[in-house]
Amino acid sequence: MRQSPFLIALLSFAIGGALCLVTASFAVTAIEDGSEIEVRRVLDEAEYDWAEVEADGLQVVLTGTSPTEAKRFDAISRVGTVVDAARVINQMDVRPTAALAAPQFSAEILRNDSGISIIGLIPAQTDREALIERLTEIAGDTPVTDLLETAAYPVPRGWDDALGFAATALSRLPRSKLSVEAGLVRITAISDSAEARAALEKELTRAAPPGLRMSMDIAAPRPVITPFTMRFLIDEDGARFDACSAENEKSRDRILNAAFRAGLSGNDRCTIGMGVPSPQWSRASELAIGALAELGGGSVTIADADITLVAAQGINAAVFDRVVGELETELPDVFALHAVLPEPPGDLPSGPPEFVATLSPEGLVQLRGRLSDETLRQAVDSYAKARFGSDVVYTATRLVSDLPQDWPIRVLSGLEALALLNNGAVIVTPEKVELRGVSTRDDANASISGLLSDKLGEAETYSIDVTYRPPPPPVDVPPDPDVCEAELAEIQAINKIQFEPGSATIAAESLDTMNDIADVLKACGEIRLEIQGHTDSQGRESMNQQLSQARAQSVLNELRARRVLTSTYVAVGYGEANPIESNDSEAGREANRRIEFRLIRPEPIKEKQTTLEAVAEQSAAENANADEDAAETEESSDDEQGSENEQN
């Protein structure tokens, strides 16, 4: 029986559809398994064992709880590298984070003449209205500025105690800043005086609640001291201060240390205040106290920039002049010194005024004694520095007004005479100028006498006591040039100067030889020297001459590099012209390749004969030549005359 073609076609389509369905089912299963395996592998490599993978057809579903949002995102990114991101279904959760920590509550309260301002972060449970009301009562007629923020967190322990104590402290501190934290209050304030500061610190310490930490920085303004004064005395009762002022702690310590060195005992104090006349106040006080201690008694008073030094009775006038002169020299510019030496009791003289200048054997000059005014002191100091050197002159002179009219010329003349000595001293008094010392000039006495007579006048009295001492032989006398030449030859006899083959470069092994040669030439000083270069006969003569010149110049350059004075040296190359050995052997050629140092000696001048015989011979020869010239002239004249006669 024949089947219908339609039925056969329908059956074929059914069988094909079933086969496709089975094939698709197997394909989907293979894709699911493959995707799940690859995704699991990637997550295992990242050690994300908290992530779960489930394949659903072409989709990949990720589940699990990630420790952080970053790891969850990283897991999705890693899976996207092995499967299409559109196929990934993210159902992962993130582990909840811990509760946020409460912020640090704090407040800053500032009070001054303009009012009170408060800023910061406080707990929401704080009674803000009561706090502002309390601050308003403290501020009185001045405004209160509220810049607080709140946060809904539990009130930390110690917060209420700290805030309440801050309000209490603020009521007692009209110029202050308070920093409030839980259990801590920091106070920065200004009080009216040191006594008020001490009372405030005591009061606030008592008012602080138990367990509250507190820090206080309460400053007391320094008093204005007018005039700024320091007075120090040394007498039979010892050393002590009548008054002491300082601008700060460092200045106070310097002044007290100077007083302790001067004999102060006990714990005297200096008032620290404002109004110091100069930043050099402590320096001036140190110098003044030190000068009084050197005198041994008296008083020194500094009122602003005026210093009064009164010596004890009986102080030697020369010592007083020296100490006062040194003090005047060292005091800072702004300070002015007035020194008083009390007259001795009875009719005892206080000693004549004098000026003393000393010149030590080392060349140090000290100027001490009395001068008439500041202009003379500057002139004396400048003249001494010009004659003896600015770094060796020490001036410690005192200014007085009752000196003789000719005092300046006597002082300057004495200094000029002192400059003719090697060491000594000049003493100038109203009666005479006295000079004594040592000189290496055999005419020193005559020169000094003429100088003082010319400057002071013959009627003036002066005394000279100068000892002549022959000058010592010079220490640094250079050796004889011939000795230098011999030493240079001896050095090269041991180690000659070698060069690199075929070049003008000095070999490394010859650098020590160059050092030895340089040492000799430095000791020899300025001598005229020719550095000669010589070669053997191998090669062209012109090349040898150029090589010898280059080598001689190289030696000269090395000497200059070693700081040898070479202005009188010349480098000359002689090539192969002056051999000292035969060039037929290697040993001879080696000897001919050399550098020599030769003195440049002046050429002798031939002397003309000056004996009587030579003069007579020269005169006879000159006379004979004159006779011959006359005879020739006469004969020539006769010939001319005969010729004229023939023509006629």
Side-chain angles (χ1 to χ4, degrees), residues 465-489:
D465 182 12
V466 177
T467 302
Y468 169 71
R469 182 176 299 166
V475 179
D476 299 329
V477 177
D480 187 85
D482 291 329
V483 175
C484 295
E485 186 181 44
E487 290 183 0
L488 295 174

mmCIF file with all atom_site columns, all heavy atoms in Angstrom, residues 465-489:
data_model
loop_
_atom_site.group_PDB
_atom_site.id
_atom_site.type_symbol
_atom_site.label_atom_id
_atom_site.label_alt_id
_atom_site.label_comp_id
_atom_site.label_asym_id
_atom_site.label_entity_id
_atom_site.label_seq_id
_atom_site.pdbx_PDB_ins_code
_atom_site.Cartn_x
_atom_site.Cartn_y
_atom_site.Cartn_z
_atom_site.occupancy
_atom_site.B_iso_or_equiv
_atom_site.pdbx_formal_charge
_atom_site.auth_seq_id
_atom_site.auth_comp_id
_atom_site.auth_asym_id
_atom_site.auth_atom_id
_atom_site.pdbx_PDB_model_num
ATOM 1   N N   . ASP A 1 465 ? 115.579 106.151 75.547 1.00 0.00 ? 465 ASP A N   1
ATOM 2   C CA  . ASP A 1 465 ? 116.384 105.042 76.067 1.00 0.00 ? 465 ASP A CA  1
ATOM 3   C C   . ASP A 1 465 ? 116.179 103.852 75.134 1.00 0.00 ? 465 ASP A C   1
ATOM 4   O O   . ASP A 1 465 ? 115.357 102.969 75.394 1.00 0.00 ? 465 ASP A O   1
ATOM 5   C CB  . ASP A 1 465 ? 115.957 104.706 77.495 1.00 0.00 ? 465 ASP A CB  1
ATOM 6   C CG  . ASP A 1 465 ? 116.801 103.581 78.098 1.00 0.00 ? 465 ASP A CG  1
ATOM 7   O OD1 . ASP A 1 465 ? 117.843 103.231 77.493 1.00 0.00 ? 465 ASP A OD1 1
ATOM 8   O OD2 . ASP A 1 465 ? 116.407 103.044 79.150 1.00 0.00 ? 465 ASP A OD2 1
ATOM 9   N N   . VAL A 1 466 ? 116.890 103.852 74.025 1.00 0.00 ? 466 VAL A N   1
ATOM 10  C CA  . VAL A 1 466 ? 116.734 102.836 72.987 1.00 0.00 ? 466 VAL A CA  1
ATOM 11  C C   . VAL A 1 466 ? 118.011 102.008 72.909 1.00 0.00 ? 466 VAL A C   1
ATOM 12  O O   . VAL A 1 466 ? 119.111 102.564 72.785 1.00 0.00 ? 466 VAL A O   1
ATOM 13  C CB  . VAL A 1 466 ? 116.424 103.470 71.617 1.00 0.00 ? 466 VAL A CB  1
ATOM 14  C CG1 . VAL A 1 466 ? 116.351 102.392 70.539 1.00 0.00 ? 466 VAL A CG1 1
ATOM 15  C CG2 . VAL A 1 466 ? 115.111 104.238 71.684 1.00 0.00 ? 466 VAL A CG2 1
ATOM 16  N N   . THR A 1 467 ? 117.864 100.720 72.980 1.00 0.00 ? 467 THR A N   1
ATOM 17  C CA  . THR A 1 467 ? 118.992 99.784  72.896 1.00 0.00 ? 467 THR A CA  1
ATOM 18  C C   . THR A 1 467 ? 119.105 99.256  71.479 1.00 0.00 ? 467 THR A C   1
ATOM 19  O O   . THR A 1 467 ? 118.104 98.798  70.900 1.00 0.00 ? 467 THR A O   1
ATOM 20  C CB  . THR A 1 467 ? 118.793 98.619  73.873 1.00 0.00 ? 467 THR A CB  1
ATOM 21  O OG1 . THR A 1 467 ? 118.655 99.143  75.199 1.00 0.00 ? 467 THR A OG1 1
ATOM 22  C CG2 . THR A 1 467 ? 119.973 97.655  73.814 1.00 0.00 ? 467 THR A CG2 1
ATOM 23  N N   . TYR A 1 468 ? 120.312 99.329  70.932 1.00 0.00 ? 468 TYR A N   1
ATOM 24  C CA  . TYR A 1 468 ? 120.533 98.802  69.587 1.00 0.00 ? 468 TYR A CA  1
ATOM 25  C C   . TYR A 1 468 ? 120.794 97.300  69.671 1.00 0.00 ? 468 TYR A C   1
ATOM 26  O O   . TYR A 1 468 ? 121.580 96.833  70.495 1.00 0.00 ? 468 TYR A O   1
ATOM 27  C CB  . TYR A 1 468 ? 121.727 99.488  68.923 1.00 0.00 ? 468 TYR A CB  1
ATOM 28  C CG  . TYR A 1 468 ? 122.155 98.805  67.637 1.00 0.00 ? 468 TYR A CG  1
ATOM 29  C CD1 . TYR A 1 468 ? 121.369 98.877  66.495 1.00 0.00 ? 468 TYR A CD1 1
ATOM 30  C CD2 . TYR A 1 468 ? 123.337 98.070  67.592 1.00 0.00 ? 468 TYR A CD2 1
ATOM 31  C CE1 . TYR A 1 468 ? 121.747 98.247  65.323 1.00 0.00 ? 468 TYR A CE1 1
ATOM 32  C CE2 . TYR A 1 468 ? 123.727 97.432  66.420 1.00 0.00 ? 468 TYR A CE2 1
ATOM 33  C CZ  . TYR A 1 468 ? 122.928 97.517  65.287 1.00 0.00 ? 468 TYR A CZ  1
ATOM 34  O OH  . TYR A 1 468 ? 123.303 96.876  64.136 1.00 0.00 ? 468 TYR A OH  1
ATOM 35  N N   . ARG A 1 469 ? 120.128 96.581  68.830 1.00 0.00 ? 469 ARG A N   1
ATOM 36  C CA  . ARG A 1 469 ? 120.325 95.128  68.741 1.00 0.00 ? 469 ARG A CA  1
ATOM 37  C C   . ARG A 1 469 ? 120.501 94.769  67.283 1.00 0.00 ? 469 ARG A C   1
ATOM 38  O O   . ARG A 1 469 ? 119.626 95.072  66.452 1.00 0.00 ? 469 ARG A O   1
ATOM 39  C CB  . ARG A 1 469 ? 119.131 94.385  69.322 1.00 0.00 ? 469 ARG A CB  1
ATOM 40  C CG  . ARG A 1 469 ? 119.266 92.862  69.308 1.00 0.00 ? 469 ARG A CG  1
ATOM 41  C CD  . ARG A 1 469 ? 118.073 92.234  70.004 1.00 0.00 ? 469 ARG A CD  1
ATOM 42  N NE  . ARG A 1 469 ? 117.989 92.651  71.398 1.00 0.00 ? 469 ARG A NE  1
ATOM 43  C CZ  . ARG A 1 469 ? 116.923 92.471  72.167 1.00 0.00 ? 469 ARG A CZ  1
ATOM 44  N NH1 . ARG A 1 469 ? 115.832 91.923  71.647 1.00 0.00 ? 469 ARG A NH1 1
ATOM 45  N NH2 . ARG A 1 469 ? 116.927 92.877  73.425 1.00 0.00 ? 469 ARG A NH2 1
ATOM 46  N N   . PRO A 1 470 ? 121.633 94.160  66.921 1.00 0.00 ? 470 PRO A N   1
ATOM 47  C CA  . PRO A 1 470 ? 121.850 93.833  65.503 1.00 0.00 ? 470 PRO A CA  1
ATOM 48  C C   . PRO A 1 470 ? 120.719 92.959  64.987 1.00 0.00 ? 470 PRO A C   1
ATOM 49  O O   . PRO A 1 470 ? 120.213 92.079  65.699 1.00 0.00 ? 470 PRO A O   1
ATOM 50  C CB  . PRO A 1 470 ? 123.191 93.084  65.506 1.00 0.00 ? 470 PRO A CB  1
ATOM 51  C CG  . PRO A 1 470 ? 123.851 93.508  66.774 1.00 0.00 ? 470 PRO A CG  1
ATOM 52  C CD  . PRO A 1 470 ? 122.758 93.748  67.763 1.00 0.00 ? 470 PRO A CD  1
ATOM 53  N N   . PRO A 1 471 ? 120.294 93.197  63.782 1.00 0.00 ? 471 PRO A N   1
ATOM 54  C CA  . PRO A 1 471 ? 119.201 92.373  63.228 1.00 0.00 ? 471 PRO A CA  1
ATOM 55  C C   . PRO A 1 471 ? 119.650 90.930  63.071 1.00 0.00 ? 471 PRO A C   1
ATOM 56  O O   . PRO A 1 471 ? 120.808 90.654  62.738 1.00 0.00 ? 471 PRO A O   1
ATOM 57  C CB  . PRO A 1 471 ? 118.911 93.030  61.878 1.00 0.00 ? 471 PRO A CB  1
ATOM 58  C CG  . PRO A 1 471 ? 120.171 93.748  61.520 1.00 0.00 ? 471 PRO A CG  1
ATOM 59  C CD  . PRO A 1 471 ? 120.775 94.199  62.821 1.00 0.00 ? 471 PRO A CD  1
ATOM 60  N N   . PRO A 1 472 ? 118.778 89.991  63.338 1.00 0.00 ? 472 PRO A N   1
ATOM 61  C CA  . PRO A 1 472 ? 119.148 88.579  63.171 1.00 0.00 ? 472 PRO A CA  1
ATOM 62  C C   . PRO A 1 472 ? 119.372 88.263  61.706 1.00 0.00 ? 472 PRO A C   1
ATOM 63  O O   . PRO A 1 472 ? 118.813 88.918  60.819 1.00 0.00 ? 472 PRO A O   1
ATOM 64  C CB  . PRO A 1 472 ? 117.933 87.833  63.729 1.00 0.00 ? 472 PRO A CB  1
ATOM 65  C CG  . PRO A 1 472 ? 116.802 88.780  63.550 1.00 0.00 ? 472 PRO A CG  1
ATOM 66  C CD  . PRO A 1 472 ? 117.373 90.153  63.747 1.00 0.00 ? 472 PRO A CD  1
ATOM 67  N N   . PRO A 1 473 ? 120.206 87.283  61.441 1.00 0.00 ? 473 PRO A N   1
ATOM 68  C CA  . PRO A 1 473 ? 120.429 86.907  60.037 1.00 0.00 ? 473 PRO A CA  1
ATOM 69  C C   . PRO A 1 473 ? 119.130 86.394  59.433 1.00 0.00 ? 473 PRO A C   1
ATOM 70  O O   . PRO A 1 473 ? 118.317 85.758  60.115 1.00 0.00 ? 473 PRO A O   1
ATOM 71  C CB  . PRO A 1 473 ? 121.484 85.808  60.124 1.00 0.00 ? 473 PRO A CB  1
ATOM 72  C CG  . PRO A 1 473 ? 121.378 85.275  61.507 1.00 0.00 ? 473 PRO A CG  1
ATOM 73  C CD  . PRO A 1 473 ? 120.965 86.426  62.366 1.00 0.00 ? 473 PRO A CD  1
ATOM 74  N N   . PRO A 1 474 ? 118.921 86.697  58.184 1.00 0.00 ? 474 PRO A N   1
ATOM 75  C CA  . PRO A 1 474 ? 117.686 86.219  57.541 1.00 0.00 ? 474 PRO A CA  1
ATOM 76  C C   . PRO A 1 474 ? 117.609 84.706  57.557 1.00 0.00 ? 474 PRO A C   1
ATOM 77  O O   . PRO A 1 474 ? 118.608 84.014  57.341 1.00 0.00 ? 474 PRO A O   1
ATOM 78  C CB  . PRO A 1 474 ? 117.783 86.781  56.118 1.00 0.00 ? 474 PRO A CB  1
ATOM 79  C CG  . PRO A 1 474 ? 119.232 87.069  55.906 1.00 0.00 ? 474 PRO A CG  1
ATOM 80  C CD  . PRO A 1 474 ? 119.793 87.437  57.243 1.00 0.00 ? 474 PRO A CD  1
ATOM 81  N N   . VAL A 1 475 ? 116.407 84.234  57.817 1.00 0.00 ? 475 VAL A N   1
ATOM 82  C CA  . VAL A 1 475 ? 116.215 82.781  57.928 1.00 0.00 ? 475 VAL A CA  1
ATOM 83  C C   . VAL A 1 475 ? 116.089 82.136  56.558 1.00 0.00 ? 475 VAL A C   1
ATOM 84  O O   . VAL A 1 475 ? 116.663 81.079  56.288 1.00 0.00 ? 475 VAL A O   1
ATOM 85  C CB  . VAL A 1 475 ? 114.965 82.484  58.786 1.00 0.00 ? 475 VAL A CB  1
ATOM 86  C CG1 . VAL A 1 475 ? 114.735 80.985  58.878 1.00 0.00 ? 475 VAL A CG1 1
ATOM 87  C CG2 . VAL A 1 475 ? 115.131 83.091  60.160 1.00 0.00 ? 475 VAL A CG2 1
ATOM 88  N N   . ASP A 1 476 ? 115.384 82.770  55.688 1.00 0.00 ? 476 ASP A N   1
ATOM 89  C CA  . ASP A 1 476 ? 115.071 82.160  54.395 1.00 0.00 ? 476 ASP A CA  1
ATOM 90  C C   . ASP A 1 476 ? 115.992 82.681  53.295 1.00 0.00 ? 476 ASP A C   1
ATOM 91  O O   . ASP A 1 476 ? 115.553 83.264  52.302 1.00 0.00 ? 476 ASP A O   1
ATOM 92  C CB  . ASP A 1 476 ? 113.607 82.432  54.026 1.00 0.00 ? 476 ASP A CB  1
ATOM 93  C CG  . ASP A 1 476 ? 112.653 81.837  55.036 1.00 0.00 ? 476 ASP A CG  1
ATOM 94  O OD1 . ASP A 1 476 ? 113.005 80.800  55.607 1.00 0.00 ? 476 ASP A OD1 1
ATOM 95  O OD2 . ASP A 1 476 ? 111.578 82.417  55.245 1.00 0.00 ? 476 ASP A OD2 1
ATOM 96  N N   . VAL A 1 477 ? 117.309 82.506  53.493 1.00 0.00 ? 477 VAL A N   1
ATOM 97  C CA  . VAL A 1 477 ? 118.254 82.906  52.454 1.00 0.00 ? 477 VAL A CA  1
ATOM 98  C C   . VAL A 1 477 ? 118.336 81.795  51.421 1.00 0.00 ? 477 VAL A C   1
ATOM 99  O O   . VAL A 1 477 ? 118.633 80.640  51.759 1.00 0.00 ? 477 VAL A O   1
ATOM 100 C CB  . VAL A 1 477 ? 119.643 83.171  53.049 1.00 0.00 ? 477 VAL A CB  1
ATOM 101 C CG1 . VAL A 1 477 ? 120.636 83.515  51.947 1.00 0.00 ? 477 VAL A CG1 1
ATOM 102 C CG2 . VAL A 1 477 ? 119.558 84.294  54.071 1.00 0.00 ? 477 VAL A CG2 1
ATOM 103 N N   . PRO A 1 478 ? 118.050 82.088  50.161 1.00 0.00 ? 478 PRO A N   1
ATOM 104 C CA  . PRO A 1 478 ? 118.103 81.020  49.162 1.00 0.00 ? 478 PRO A CA  1
ATOM 105 C C   . PRO A 1 478 ? 119.530 80.541  48.954 1.00 0.00 ? 478 PRO A C   1
ATOM 106 O O   . PRO A 1 478 ? 120.494 81.304  49.119 1.00 0.00 ? 478 PRO A O   1
ATOM 107 C CB  . PRO A 1 478 ? 117.540 81.697  47.904 1.00 0.00 ? 478 PRO A CB  1
ATOM 108 C CG  . PRO A 1 478 ? 117.756 83.155  48.116 1.00 0.00 ? 478 PRO A CG  1
ATOM 109 C CD  . PRO A 1 478 ? 117.659 83.375  49.589 1.00 0.00 ? 478 PRO A CD  1
ATOM 110 N N   . PRO A 1 479 ? 119.727 79.284  48.597 1.00 0.00 ? 479 PRO A N   1
ATOM 111 C CA  . PRO A 1 479 ? 121.077 78.768  48.357 1.00 0.00 ? 479 PRO A CA  1
ATOM 112 C C   . PRO A 1 479 ? 121.685 79.400  47.116 1.00 0.00 ? 479 PRO A C   1
ATOM 113 O O   . PRO A 1 479 ? 121.009 80.026  46.299 1.00 0.00 ? 479 PRO A O   1
ATOM 114 C CB  . PRO A 1 479 ? 120.845 77.263  48.181 1.00 0.00 ? 479 PRO A CB  1
ATOM 115 C CG  . PRO A 1 479 ? 119.428 77.138  47.749 1.00 0.00 ? 479 PRO A CG  1
ATOM 116 C CD  . PRO A 1 479 ? 118.695 78.260  48.421 1.00 0.00 ? 479 PRO A CD  1
ATOM 117 N N   . ASP A 1 480 ? 122.977 79.220  46.982 1.00 0.00 ? 480 ASP A N   1
ATOM 118 C CA  . ASP A 1 480 ? 123.689 79.734  45.820 1.00 0.00 ? 480 ASP A CA  1
ATOM 119 C C   . ASP A 1 480 ? 123.150 79.075  44.553 1.00 0.00 ? 480 ASP A C   1
ATOM 120 O O   . ASP A 1 480 ? 122.855 77.878  44.539 1.00 0.00 ? 480 ASP A O   1
ATOM 121 C CB  . ASP A 1 480 ? 125.186 79.455  45.968 1.00 0.00 ? 480 ASP A CB  1
ATOM 122 C CG  . ASP A 1 480 ? 125.988 80.113  44.875 1.00 0.00 ? 480 ASP A CG  1
ATOM 123 O OD1 . ASP A 1 480 ? 126.320 81.294  45.022 1.00 0.00 ? 480 ASP A OD1 1
ATOM 124 O OD2 . ASP A 1 480 ? 126.271 79.426  43.872 1.00 0.00 ? 480 ASP A OD2 1
ATOM 125 N N   . PRO A 1 481 ? 123.005 79.829  43.444 1.00 0.00 ? 481 PRO A N   1
ATOM 126 C CA  . PRO A 1 481 ? 122.485 79.232  42.210 1.00 0.00 ? 481 PRO A CA  1
ATOM 127 C C   . PRO A 1 481 ? 123.290 78.036  41.731 1.00 0.00 ? 481 PRO A C   1
ATOM 128 O O   . PRO A 1 481 ? 122.721 77.077  41.190 1.00 0.00 ? 481 PRO A O   1
ATOM 129 C CB  . PRO A 1 481 ? 122.531 80.397  41.221 1.00 0.00 ? 481 PRO A CB  1
ATOM 130 C CG  . PRO A 1 481 ? 122.408 81.617  42.069 1.00 0.00 ? 481 PRO A CG  1
ATOM 131 C CD  . PRO A 1 481 ? 123.136 81.300  43.337 1.00 0.00 ? 481 PRO A CD  1
ATOM 132 N N   . ASP A 1 482 ? 124.617 78.073  41.908 1.00 0.00 ? 482 ASP A N   1
ATOM 133 C CA  . ASP A 1 482 ? 125.422 76.924  41.488 1.00 0.00 ? 482 ASP A CA  1
ATOM 134 C C   . ASP A 1 482 ? 125.063 75.675  42.289 1.00 0.00 ? 482 ASP A C   1
ATOM 135 O O   . ASP A 1 482 ? 125.052 74.560  41.755 1.00 0.00 ? 482 ASP A O   1
ATOM 136 C CB  . ASP A 1 482 ? 126.908 77.244  41.645 1.00 0.00 ? 482 ASP A CB  1
ATOM 137 C CG  . ASP A 1 482 ? 127.371 78.294  40.639 1.00 0.00 ? 482 ASP A CG  1
ATOM 138 O OD1 . ASP A 1 482 ? 126.800 78.320  39.535 1.00 0.00 ? 482 ASP A OD1 1
ATOM 139 O OD2 . ASP A 1 482 ? 128.279 79.074  40.962 1.00 0.00 ? 482 ASP A OD2 1
ATOM 140 N N   . VAL A 1 483 ? 124.765 75.867  43.578 1.00 0.00 ? 483 VAL A N   1
ATOM 141 C CA  . VAL A 1 483 ? 124.350 74.730  44.408 1.00 0.00 ? 483 VAL A CA  1
ATOM 142 C C   . VAL A 1 483 ? 123.011 74.185  43.906 1.00 0.00 ? 483 VAL A C   1
ATOM 143 O O   . VAL A 1 483 ? 122.795 72.966  43.853 1.00 0.00 ? 483 VAL A O   1
ATOM 144 C CB  . VAL A 1 483 ? 124.259 75.155  45.878 1.00 0.00 ? 483 VAL A CB  1
ATOM 145 C CG1 . VAL A 1 483 ? 123.707 74.023  46.733 1.00 0.00 ? 483 VAL A CG1 1
ATOM 146 C CG2 . VAL A 1 483 ? 125.616 75.593  46.397 1.00 0.00 ? 483 VAL A CG2 1
ATOM 147 N N   . CYS A 1 484 ? 122.106 75.098  43.522 1.00 0.00 ? 484 CYS A N   1
ATOM 148 C CA  . CYS A 1 484 ? 120.817 74.653  42.982 1.00 0.00 ? 484 CYS A CA  1
ATOM 149 C C   . CYS A 1 484 ? 121.017 73.823  41.716 1.00 0.00 ? 484 CYS A C   1
ATOM 150 O O   . CYS A 1 484 ? 120.384 72.771  41.543 1.00 0.00 ? 484 CYS A O   1
ATOM 151 C CB  . CYS A 1 484 ? 119.932 75.861  42.687 1.00 0.00 ? 484 CYS A CB  1
ATOM 152 S SG  . CYS A 1 484 ? 119.438 76.800  44.153 1.00 0.00 ? 484 CYS A SG  1
ATOM 153 N N   . GLU A 1 485 ? 121.881 74.281  40.833 1.00 0.00 ? 485 GLU A N   1
ATOM 154 C CA  . GLU A 1 485 ? 122.128 73.551  39.594 1.00 0.00 ? 485 GLU A CA  1
ATOM 155 C C   . GLU A 1 485 ? 122.690 72.169  39.886 1.00 0.00 ? 485 GLU A C   1
ATOM 156 O O   . GLU A 1 485 ? 122.289 71.166  39.262 1.00 0.00 ? 485 GLU A O   1
ATOM 157 C CB  . GLU A 1 485 ? 123.087 74.344  38.715 1.00 0.00 ? 485 GLU A CB  1
ATOM 158 C CG  . GLU A 1 485 ? 123.311 73.736  37.336 1.00 0.00 ? 485 GLU A CG  1
ATOM 159 C CD  . GLU A 1 485 ? 124.282 74.557  36.514 1.00 0.00 ? 485 GLU A CD  1
ATOM 160 O OE1 . GLU A 1 485 ? 125.319 74.980  37.085 1.00 0.00 ? 485 GLU A OE1 1
ATOM 161 O OE2 . GLU A 1 485 ? 124.021 74.766  35.317 1.00 0.00 ? 485 GLU A OE2 1
ATOM 162 N N   . ALA A 1 486 ? 123.605 72.078  40.864 1.00 0.00 ? 486 ALA A N   1
ATOM 163 C CA  . ALA A 1 486 ? 124.197 70.789  41.219 1.00 0.00 ? 486 ALA A CA  1
ATOM 164 C C   . ALA A 1 486 ? 123.152 69.854  41.824 1.00 0.00 ? 486 ALA A C   1
ATOM 165 O O   . ALA A 1 486 ? 123.138 68.646  41.544 1.00 0.00 ? 486 ALA A O   1
ATOM 166 C CB  . ALA A 1 486 ? 125.356 71.000  42.188 1.00 0.00 ? 486 ALA A CB  1
ATOM 167 N N   . GLU A 1 487 ? 122.236 70.387  42.666 1.00 0.00 ? 487 GLU A N   1
ATOM 168 C CA  . GLU A 1 487 ? 121.196 69.546  43.268 1.00 0.00 ? 487 GLU A CA  1
ATOM 169 C C   . GLU A 1 487 ? 120.246 69.005  42.211 1.00 0.00 ? 487 GLU A C   1
ATOM 170 O O   . GLU A 1 487 ? 119.813 67.846  42.282 1.00 0.00 ? 487 GLU A O   1
ATOM 171 C CB  . GLU A 1 487 ? 120.429 70.348  44.316 1.00 0.00 ? 487 GLU A CB  1
ATOM 172 C CG  . GLU A 1 487 ? 121.229 70.654  45.570 1.00 0.00 ? 487 GLU A CG  1
ATOM 173 C CD  . GLU A 1 487 ? 120.404 71.384  46.610 1.00 0.00 ? 487 GLU A CD  1
ATOM 174 O OE1 . GLU A 1 487 ? 119.216 71.639  46.334 1.00 0.00 ? 487 GLU A OE1 1
ATOM 175 O OE2 . GLU A 1 487 ? 120.936 71.706  47.682 1.00 0.00 ? 487 GLU A OE2 1
ATOM 176 N N   . LEU A 1 488 ? 119.911 69.834  41.213 1.00 0.00 ? 488 LEU A N   1
ATOM 177 C CA  . LEU A 1 488 ? 119.037 69.359  40.141 1.00 0.00 ? 488 LEU A CA  1
ATOM 178 C C   . LEU A 1 488 ? 119.694 68.244  39.346 1.00 0.00 ? 488 LEU A C   1
ATOM 179 O O   . LEU A 1 488 ? 119.054 67.249  38.975 1.00 0.00 ? 488 LEU A O   1
ATOM 180 C CB  . LEU A 1 488 ? 118.675 70.523  39.220 1.00 0.00 ? 488 LEU A CB  1
ATOM 181 C CG  . LEU A 1 488 ? 117.828 71.640  39.856 1.00 0.00 ? 488 LEU A CG  1
ATOM 182 C CD1 . LEU A 1 488 ? 117.675 72.797  38.882 1.00 0.00 ? 488 LEU A CD1 1
ATOM 183 C CD2 . LEU A 1 488 ? 116.463 71.129  40.268 1.00 0.00 ? 488 LEU A CD2 1
ATOM 184 N N   . ALA A 1 489 ? 120.986 68.387  39.084 1.00 0.00 ? 489 ALA A N   1
ATOM 185 C CA  . ALA A 1 489 ? 121.702 67.331  38.361 1.00 0.00 ? 489 ALA A CA  1
ATOM 186 C C   . ALA A 1 489 ? 121.774 66.056  39.190 1.00 0.00 ? 489 ALA A C   1
ATOM 187 O O   . ALA A 1 489 ? 121.656 64.939  38.658 1.00 0.00 ? 489 ALA A O   1
ATOM 188 C CB  . ALA A 1 489 ? 123.108 67.823  38.005 1.00 0.00 ? 489 ALA A CB  1
#
